[in-house]
Amino acid sequence: QVQLVESGGGLVQPGGSLRLSCAASGRTFSSNAMAWFRQAPGKEREFVVAITWNGGRTLSADSVKGRFTISRDGAKNTVYLQMNSLKPEDTAVYYCAAGSLLRWDPIEYDYWGRGTQVTVSS
């Protein structure tokens, strides 16, 4: 009932920046939390950062604090991920997710986008 579409991925050099977007449609009122996860080859899906529509509370992983910032535009039903000071270890497929609560566990999220590839390489 909720569709999520990520965009903005691509190839960037170490130290560079990139902004990802997640456009939500459908019954978005059923989900109050939006999150970004990432998955690198051979690794488990990893929580990155999340935000609530109501109040704008945020939760972020230690690995990205000070470098990544999540924001939302309620009028556009869109969530953004601004990524700065990118490192090769940030290379992964980045997924947008929607759920009812602000959590770090992917099990807590009900809807997922198909992902967008971010590659950090010189």
Side-chain angles (χ1 to χ4, degrees), residues 5-24:
V5 180
E6 304 96 335
S7 62
L11 175 65
V12 64
Q13 295 188 13
S17 298
L18 208 59
R19 189 179 79 157
L20 306 183
S21 298
C22 174

Side-chain angles (χ1 to χ4, degrees), residues 17-20 67-71 80-84:
S17 298
L18 208 59
R19 189 179 79 157
L20 306 183
R67 298 190 299 122
F68 291 10
T69 302
I70 189 170
S71 60
Y80 304 96
L81 178 62
Q82 179 65 47
M83 304 184 292
N84 299 324

